Structures are given as C-alpha cells and as structure tokens.
Amino acid sequence: MSICPSQQRRALVVDDDQATRLPAVGILKKLGVEATEARSGEHALQLFAEHPAQLVLLDVEMPGINGFETCKALRSHPSGAHIPIVMMTSYDDVDSVKRAFEVGATDFVMKPINWIILEQRIGYVLRAGDNARLLLEKSAGLDLAQQIASLGSFVWNTDTGTVSGSAEFRKLYSLSENASPVPIADLLDRVHEDDRTQVEAALTRAAQCITPISLDHRLSRDRTTERTYRLEVRPRSTLHGGSPLLDGISQDISRQRQAEEKIRRLAFHDSLTGVGNLASFHDKLKDTLERARRGSSIAGLMFLDLDRFKRINDTYGHRAGDLALQQVAHRLQRATRSSDFLARASEGKPLGDVSRMGGDEFTVILPTIRNGGDAQLIAKRLIAEIGRPIDIEAAKVQVGVSIGIAIFPNDGVDTDTLLRAADAAMYHAKDVSSDAFRYYDDSMNSDAAERMRIESRLRVAIPKGAIEIHYQPILSLRTGSITGVEALARWFDDELGFVAPGRFIPVAEECGLIDLLSEQVLQKSCSALAHWDSLGVDPLTMSINLSPRQLVDRDLAPRIEKALAEHRLAPDRLQLEITESAIVRDEKAVKRTLASLRELGVHIALDDFGTGYSSLIHLKELPVDVIKIDRSFVSSATEDANGAALTRAVVAMGKALGLQTIAEGVETEAQRDFLVDCACDSEQGFRFSPAVPADQLLEFLGGF
Amino acid sequence: MRTEDFSAIDMSVLETLHDLDNTGTIRDQVIAVVIDDLATHFNELREAADKGNDESVRTTAHGLKSSAGSVGASGLYQLLGDAEHAAVEGDSATVRARIDLLGVAIPVVIASLRAMLEADTGRA
C-alpha cells in the first residue's frame, strides 16, 4: 500500500499540561494534521489502539506511566513500530535524552517549547515518516519479490570481508536470520565442494579486477538436495575506503534448470521409451563418425525393426504396444551397456547408443567396435534379449527383431549414407526370416533403389486399377477337364516393363497398398466368374491368394460375403489360398479369420504345401479343404526314387485326411502321369497353360 | 536576579502563540489555563513543602514550570526549576526559599496575564 499525499494524517498529542497541548494542537491543525489529545500515557495507548496515528508528540513527565514507558508501548504496537514519536521534556540531562532514544523516540524537543521550531520539526518528521513508510513498503515489496523469485541480494564489503544479505539471501544460504554481516567464508562454506574453488576464484576476480561476474553453482551436498544457484556480482560505482563494495544477487534456478533439462529431454529423447529420438540420433551419429574419422577407427550402425509387433497392438491395444516398446528399449539399453561383454573393445564405455526412430524401429550406434565381428556379437545379443517373452500387464507376448548392420567407413562415410545402408540391410534381414541380422553389401543399394522405383510406380498403378488379373487353369487329373482357375496379379508397367509378382507383391505389402490390390483381385475375379457363368461355362472354382495382412483382417469374411452376394455366387465357388509363412506370423488371428471364412462356406487351400516347417501341425489344426502340393515335390517326383516316394506320401496323406490335392508346377506329361498314378486330384502348371487373360481363358473353356 | 525579574514575561513567546492561529485564540486559551494552573497548583506546592513531601513538591513544581514556560514566564520557570531540583536533592531549605519567592512572583504574573486577557477582551 503506498502513501496517498491527500490522505488525512492524524497525530496524538500526549501531555498532562493543557498549556502545552493547546499550542501543539494548533500547530498540527495549521499543518493539516488532525490532532487527538491525551492527558496521560494510559489514555494515549488506549486512543492509539482505537485509532493509530501517524505522529505522536509525547511528554515525558506525566502522572501514571511516564513518556518513556508510553513510547516503548507504542513501539511494540504493530502500527507504532515505525511512526515518528517526538518526545517533549524539560529534562535536559544526557541520561533522559539517551533514554528517550533507547525506547524508540524519533526526535526530542526541550521545554519550554519554541513553537516556531516545533512547527518546522513536525513538518520534517512527517515527511521523514512518509518516506520511511514508503521505504518500508518498498522494502517489503522487494522482500516479497525476492521471496517469490527465490532471489536474494547482498553487499560484499571487501574491506571487512563480510557480506550483508537480504532475508531471502540469508534463507537461500541457510545463514543466520540476524541481518548482521557474516564472513564471506560462511557463504563459500555453503557452496558445493566441487564448485567452491570456481566460485572463490570468480569472487576474487570480481574484487580485484572490479569486474562483474556471473556463474552458477550448486549448494553443498549436506545442506540440501541438488539445488543450483546463479550468482551475479557487480562492483558498486562508489568506492569505500579505497576498496570497492560489491553488490550481488543469488537466485535459486533449480526449477529453471529442471525445466531446461525437461525441454532438452523432450527435444532429444523419445518421450515413450526414454532413449534418444531421431534428432539426437543424427547428432550422435555425426559425432561418432567424426571421432572415428579423426581416430582412423571404425564405427557401426544397426537399424532394428521389430517383427510381429503389430500383432501386439492389434490384439492387446496400443497401450500394450507402448509397454512392449518401453521394454524393448530398456533391453536394448541394458544389452548395449558395457560389461564383460566386449569389455576390452568398449574400454568401460557403453557398447552402443540406442535411439528410437519412430514406430517399432530403433537404431544402435556402435562407436567402439573393432571389426564387423563385434557388431555380429552385439546383434546376436540384441536378438536374444528382445526375443525373450515380454510381460504386458496380464499377458506375455513375444516379438522378434530384424537387424541391418552398416560399418563406417566401408558402407558409408556420412550419416545419411550409413543410415540408408543399415536400413537396406535390415530389409534384407527381414526377408530372410524373423530374428535375423544382415550386414550391408553394395547389392542392397540397387535392391533398395529398385524397391523404391517399384513403390513409386505401384502407388500410381494400383489405385488406377492397372494391375491385371490372369487366370491359370486347374485341371482334373481324372477327367482332364478344367475345374477351376487361380487368379494371379500381373503387372506390365510402361517404364518398368513386366514386373514379376514376386517383386511387386512384397513392396505392395510393405507400403500398405496390398489391401487395395487384394480387394481389386477379389472384385475382378468374382466379376469374371459371374461373367463366365452368364456365358454358360461349366461352373468353375476361383482360387484367390490371401495376403498375410488379409489373414488377420477381421473384416475379410464380411467383405467376401458381400462380394459373393453382389455377383450372385455360391460361397463354395471361391477357394482362398493361404501360405504357411503367413500363418505363422499370427496364428491365433489367422485361425479366427479362417474359422469365419469356413463358416461362410468358402474353401480353404493350403498353398506351397510341404515347404513350411510345421505343415503337418497346420493340416491338423486349420480348417483346410485343399492342399496344393509345392512344385518342388512335383519336379522331383520324376527325377529320383526318393522324390517320387515323398510326393506319393504327401498325396496319400492328403487323401487320408479327406483333403483335395492339387499339384502345382506340373510341366511335363511324365509328371502328370505320375500324379494320376498317385491318385492326385488336380494339376496346375505350364504343361497345360500359364496364367492367361480372361479372354484367352475362354478359348480353353470351349471357345466362348 | 532581582525580585521583579521573577515576574517577567517574555512577550515573544506570547506573540508566537498568537501567531499560531493569527487570532490570539490559542494564546488566550493558554493564558487562561496557565492562570488557573498557577493559582490552583501553587497552593498544592506550598502544602507539599509544608509537609516535607519532596516527591509531591517535585512533580507539582515540574507541572507549574511547564505552564510558566508556556507563556514565557521565564522567572517563574527558573524558580520552579530550582524548587524541583532542590526537591530531588532533598534540599528543603532551598525549596522553602524558592516557594517564598514564588509566593511573591506568581500573583504578579497572574495579574499581568489577566491584564493581557482583559486588554484582548476590551479590543474585542
């Protein structure tokens, strides 16, 4: 609250002598001050308690409590601590004067009073009182501001070697609450042991060179937990006895530091997993390559992509996926921490620096490897660590990882090249199998380039419907007639020419275009079948390949049901082919999808039968109607006795399980004869025809 | 100091009082109060001295001294100060001597003050 000059000020005139009170009141009135009279000390204290005054004129010798006691009592009142109190007395001895000031008198006038001088003196003490109050208010405001800002101010007297500080300053450094100066050594004693020398040197520099200083320091460990203060000292312009006084402030910047650290963490760390993010990865890789370049050493970069991670998200939700990513990140960090493992190579430093690139992709920078062999050891360790089951709330899940490894300087001398190389190597590792790692080699570059070209063209071709459907006939080995066809995607691109399905289907899967392509194949195939029906062709079975993504799609069965209904086709006219490799990606989801399809009434064929590692288990557990015997059996059947025996056994097993058998890749009459002899049901292959366009197929079907 | 000096009044003090409100009201009020004080409390002072009550002499003399000072009665102020001091010292002979002088001077001062008041009233 600031003083308003127009505010009516009040004074209390305390004297048992009315002859003194009268002129005093007259003077006050003249000065615009409202005066209240008290005839004794007791009366004065009572009036002051009711209406505090801004000035007190106080006689010493009065009946009852005297002026000294009254002054003391007024000073102890909350409103009386800082008001001017002028004592009036005819005692002219030194002891009385001294006593008056001891009990808190502001001024002292002798009786008989010279009223002219008293008038001037009252005017002065009122102004001084106003200023003192302003000063107090400002000081209180400053104290509050310092308290809010956790900022203390101090003056350092280099002559006496002491510091005098504000209340907040004393609080910050746990100094005595008493405002008296303390030795500078007491301040230094509060500074963290590790920072003390630096602070002392800076203060000395400020004192000797008369120069401002600013530095941060921590508080001594035994005083508090991790607090950081910013200390600034500036020499005062006025000199004091030849030595400068220095003004200083110290502010608790711990929260600011924590906020900065949080910002830094947000900027350079992945918020989900706590490992480095993309931004910090680039910086760290750049630094690592620079150091390797200077030290003529090598460095490695691993690009990791989790296998089967999507399944966790799909099955248990994104929260579970996040928890899994956190576990994986934690394991990666732990596995790349230096221990006995490659201890000599790392010399106690971490083996690798982990970052998350986004999604389920991670990188590990290997700054200390001696050769590619070290990277291999680390890769194996990471695969083993990540492959262990992960506890997610009530469930246990398992993911794999594919790792691409690129080595500086062999595979790239800059960050971008090395990252591209590791990424390409990772894709090749993924192609091999889950839980694999691959080193980068130059051929991968051309593969990656081709993959990019294909993706670029596919992104135009598929939405445009430019992928054609060709149909390969399936013939009954008993009658020789065409009983069905397999729909196969064929792509001829203006720039790339004919692109084999084996090249563009995986790219379509990776870039998410496979869903659209699968839908197009389904629609076009059903449309063709309906068209042939309308032409009077004997009813055929249409085989369509399902992609791994479709196999875990809960909406697949309803979509197929809708397509069949739209083209007025019975469900048993459709045969959906699945591969064993697609099944193992997410067996539970696949079983669910197949059960829905079986319920719908469509047939399920197990494609490439015999090439997977668990064919027999799948035959037992999955709702399969047909097995398509892989071409490798067919080709070997007529080449050697073992091949023949194996093929015969596969066919017999299918028969025994009540399944239809279709032999794939039949190219010769001998192969066909052998299959007839085995009692295999159907054949498919170049012996009769490759996949052909719909109009050409009609010629096979009787010239429609 | 001669006896007549004890009844002297410093007119500059009264002028100052007059100037406080430029009307003389305060001065007249002060004079009236002082006349009353001197008349009333001098008897108390004498009785205290007769009883040998030094503390009562001291406080009464101190109060009268203040009143005397208020109107510039400097002679009275000095005599009362002496009496106050002598009472503190337990010097009853000096107390008695000063009271005797006061007994002569106070009526003169009161008369002078009354005359001033009457002169003012007459002017009014």
Side-chain angles (χ1 to χ4, degrees):
Chain A
M1 187 179 73
S2 63
I3 291 171
C4 173
S6 62
Q7 188 180 340
Q8 177 68 56
R9 286 179 297 199
R10 294 194 307 113
L12 186 60
V13 180
V14 190
D15 201 309
D16 58 327
D17 180 10
Q18 195 185 1
T20 302
R21 294 200 307 271
L22 278 169
V25 169
I27 286 173
L28 290 164
K29 199 180 278 181
K30 203 171 165 189
L31 292 169
V33 180
E34 182 189 330
T36 307
E37 297 175 52
R39 288 186 301 277
S40 66
E42 290 88 344
H43 190 203
L45 293 176
Q46 182 197 334
L47 290 175
F48 192 85
E50 290 166 5
H51 299 289
Q54 284 82 49
L55 166 69
V56 177
L57 300 180
L58 181 61
D59 185 25
V60 172
E61 183 72 28
M62 292 181 290
I65 62 168
N66 63 25
F68 299 127
E69 296 302 316
T70 307
C71 182
K72 205 170 170 185
L74 286 170
R75 285 295 185 223
S76 64
H77 191 280
S79 302
H82 301 290
I83 58 166
I85 299 178
V86 179
M87 298 203 80
M88 309 176 291
T89 183
S90 52
Y91 291 142
D92 53 359
D93 59 297
V94 174
D95 284 346
S96 294
V97 174
K98 195 175 167 192
R99 194 169 168 207
F101 285 114
E102 276 173 0
V103 295
T106 309
D107 204 354
F108 194 92
V109 293
M110 294 296 294
K111 286 182 175 177
I113 294 167
N114 182 323
W115 299 109
I116 295 171
I117 290 176
L118 183 64
E119 181 180 344
Q120 298 305 317
R121 195 166 285 187
I122 288 174
Y124 170 76
V125 294
L126 281 173
R127 285 195 302 278
D130 287 350
N131 289 335
R133 250 185 305 167
L134 269 176
L135 200 61
L136 281 169
E137 283 173 8
K138 283 182 188 297
S139 176
L142 187 62
D143 280 350
L144 181 64
Q146 290 199 357
Q147 194 183 333
I148 291 168
S150 293
L151 182 152
S153 56
F154 65 93
V155 178
W156 175 26
N157 185 328
T158 53
D159 268 357
T160 59
T162 57
V163 285
S164 308
S166 66
E168 189 62 21
F169 177 79
R170 296 194 300 274
K171 187 177 152 199
L172 286 175
Y173 286 94
S174 307
L175 294 168
S176 158
E177 286 183 18
N178 187 325
S180 54
V182 295
I184 188 81
D186 283 9
L187 178 68
L188 287 169
D189 186 45
R190 268 70 172 172
V191 174
H192 193 283
E193 296 76 4
D194 297 346
D195 299 343
R196 201 171 289 154
T197 308
Q198 191 193 357
V199 171
E200 194 169 6
L203 288 173
T204 306
R205 193 170 65 249
Q208 290 177 347
C209 307
I210 314 178
T211 183
I213 59 155
S214 173
L215 79 163
D216 297 347
H217 72 81
R218 291 161 295 165
L219 268 204
S220 178
R221 269 199 206 98
D222 57 345
R223 300 204 177 269
T224 183
T225 52
E226 280 302 314
R227 301 216 73 80
T228 304
Y229 291 176
R230 173 153 301 158
L231 185 67
E232 295 202 21
V233 176
R234 283 159 196 237
R236 197 179 277 187
S237 55
T238 49
L239 295 180
H240 175 76
S243 296
L245 283 178
L246 293 106
D247 292 306
I249 60 114
S250 186
Q251 186 172 23
D252 185 346
I253 57 166
S254 308
R255 286 173 69 181
Q256 183 186 333
R257 275 292 173 86
Q258 285 162 6
E260 285 169 0
E261 174 62 17
K262 194 173 176 187
I263 290 167
R264 203 185 66 78
R265 281 194 67 77
L266 286 173
F268 293 106
H269 286 79
D270 174 46
S271 59
L272 175 66
T273 62
V275 299
N277 62 11
L278 195 59
S280 69
F281 162 76
H282 281 288
D283 288 350
K284 286 174 187 170
L285 183 59
K286 199 175 165 190
D287 289 346
T288 300
L289 299 190
E290 192 53 45
R291 272 199 301 276
R293 190 175 289 114
R294 281 200 304 270
S296 301
S297 57
I298 70 166
L301 174 65
M302 289 178 167
F303 199 107
L304 294 81
D305 187 274
L306 301 185
D307 301 323
R308 303 185 296 281
F309 172 72
K310 187 178 178 299
R311 196 171 60 186
I312 297 174
N313 270 344
D314 292 345
T315 309
Y316 299 103
H318 286 279
R319 178 174 152 68
D322 287 349
L323 290 172
L325 287 172
Q326 286 169 345
Q327 291 266 342
V328 166
H330 177 66
R331 289 180 186 184
L332 287 174
Q333 281 187 308
R334 198 176 50 193
T336 52
R337 203 174 293 147
S338 184
S339 60
D340 56 332
F341 179 72
L342 287 181
R344 277 191 309 161
S346 64
E347 294 173 341
K349 295 171 195 157
L351 294 167
D353 198 296
V354 181
S355 298
R356 180 171 168 235
M357 309 299 276
D360 59 351
E361 292 178 340
F362 291 85
T363 54
V364 179
I365 300 170
L366 307 170
T368 57
I369 54 171
R370 295 163 298 188
N371 48 49
D374 284 348
Q376 180 178 335
L377 285 174
I378 296 168
K380 283 180 176 173
R381 185 179 192 175
L382 297 184
I383 290 169
E385 280 292 319
I386 292 173
R388 287 191 295 109
I390 297 171
D391 287 320
I392 293 174
E393 292 168 349
K396 255 190 199 317
V397 297
Q398 210 161 357
V399 294
V401 63
S402 300
I403 303 176
I405 304 170
I407 304 292
F408 169 89
N410 299 6
D411 303 329
V413 293
D414 60 80
T415 56
D416 288 347
T417 310
L418 207 62
L419 182 60
R420 271 203 307 274
D423 190 23
M426 183 276 293
Y427 271 106
H428 279 261
K430 211 172 252 310
D431 283 346
V432 175
S433 70
S434 177
D435 294 330
F437 69 89
R438 284 287 297 268
Y439 288 102
Y440 173 77
D441 69 55
D442 286 341
S443 68
M444 292 177 184
N445 247 347
S446 53
D447 286 355
E450 187 197 54
R451 196 187 286 259
M452 280 185 68
R453 274 202 309 278
I454 290 173
E455 181 181 334
S456 163
R457 299 296 298 169
L458 261 187
R459 286 192 182 279
V460 178
I462 292 179
K464 250 172 51 181
I467 308 294
E468 291 180 14
I469 310 300
H470 287 197
Y471 303 92
Q472 186 171 37
I474 297 171
L475 293 85
S476 164
L477 283 167
R478 192 169 52 82
T479 64
S481 60
I482 297 172
T483 56
V485 291
E486 181 179 352
L488 295 163
R490 292 290 181 263
W491 181 28
F492 184 86
D493 181 73
D494 292 341
E495 287 183 13
L496 301 173
F498 176 73
V499 185
R503 287 170 64 203
F504 75 82
I505 295 289
V507 177
E509 283 185 345
E510 282 163 20
C511 63
L513 287 166
I514 194 70
D515 293 336
L516 181 57
L517 179 59
S518 301
E519 188 62 24
Q520 288 176 359
V521 171
L522 176 67
Q523 290 296 337
K524 286 181 180 177
S525 302
C526 287
S527 174
L529 198 56
H531 176 61
W532 298 332
D533 283 354
S534 69
L535 294 176
V537 175
D538 287 341
L540 298 174
T541 300
M542 177 66 75
S543 288
I544 295 174
N545 292 285
L546 291 183
S547 72
R549 286 170 66 104
Q550 286 178 295
L551 274 174
V552 294
D553 181 1
R554 288 174 184 272
D555 293 333
L556 179 65
R559 279 213 310 278
I560 287 177
E561 186 176 18
K562 189 173 171 225
L564 290 170
E566 279 172 6
H567 296 96
R568 298 171 187 278
L569 296 170
D572 62 0
R573 301 286 301 284
L574 200 59
Q575 181 165 290
L576 301 173
E577 298 190 5
I578 61 174
T579 61
E580 289 181 89
S581 59
I583 295 166
V584 296
R585 289 195 187 186
D586 189 346
E587 212 160 317
K588 195 175 163 189
V590 170
K591 279 181 180 172
R592 188 180 59 225
T593 306
L594 293 182
S596 304
L597 294 171
R598 174 56 90 68
E599 198 177 330
L600 189 62
V602 298
H603 292 162
I604 309 291
L606 191 56
D607 206 3
D608 305 331
F609 182 76
T611 56
Y613 63 92
S614 57
S615 307
L616 300 182
I617 294 170
H618 292 144
L619 278 185
K620 181 170 166 276
E621 291 184 348
L622 297 174
V624 174
D625 305 291
V626 179
I627 55 173
K628 295 188 79 171
I629 300 163
D630 190 68
R631 64 182 64 241
S632 58
F633 288 98
V634 175
S635 62
S636 67
T638 52
E639 286 173 2
D640 58 67
N642 286 343
L646 204 55
T647 307
R648 197 178 292 277
V650 169
V651 173
M653 186 174 61
K655 287 284 175 195
L657 290 169
L659 302 175
Q660 287 284 311
T661 51
I662 300 173
E664 292 182 292
V666 179
E667 294 179 352
T668 65
E669 294 298 326
Q671 289 169 348
R672 187 191 71 105
D673 292 345
F674 176 80
L675 292 164
V676 169
D677 189 50
C678 294
C680 181
D681 295 311
S682 305
E683 64 160 324
Q684 177 182 353
F686 281 20
R687 186 200 70 77
F688 182 75
S689 169
V692 293
D695 51 355
Q696 200 176 329
L697 182 76
L698 282 176
E699 292 176 17
F700 292 132
L701 295 170
F704 289 94
Chain B
M1 187 179 279
R2 298 193 310 272
T3 307
E4 57 269 28
D5 290 337
F6 291 127
S7 56
I9 293 174
D10 182 351
M11 294 306 289
S12 68
V13 174
L14 292 172
E15 281 169 18
T16 303
L17 286 174
H18 178 274
D19 292 345
L20 289 179
D21 59 358
N22 287 323
T23 63
T25 306
I26 292 175
R27 185 200 66 175
D28 291 352
Q29 286 174 339
V30 171
I31 289 171
V33 166
V34 171
I35 290 170
D36 190 48
D37 273 354
L38 290 174
T40 308
H41 298 301
F42 179 63
N43 287 332
E44 287 174 15
L45 179 66
R46 200 195 306 266
E47 283 167 18
D50 290 344
K51 290 176 184 171
N53 187 341
D54 288 341
E55 177 56 17
S56 184
V57 169
R58 186 191 70 76
T59 54
T60 309
H62 182 83
L64 285 171
K65 185 179 75 171
S66 180
S67 293
S70 299
V71 292
S74 50
L76 288 188
Y77 187 88
Q78 188 179 330
L79 288 173
L80 287 161
D82 288 348
E84 180 188 5
H85 188 256
V88 171
E89 297 293 322
D91 180 359
S92 55
T94 304
V95 168
R96 172 53 59 189
R98 293 297 176 269
I99 287 175
D100 288 346
L101 287 173
L102 285 166
V104 175
I106 284 175
V108 177
V109 169
I110 289 174
S112 301
L113 293 172
R114 278 204 177 117
M116 283 179 212
L117 279 182
E118 282 161 10
D120 271 1
T121 309
R123 274 200 296 274

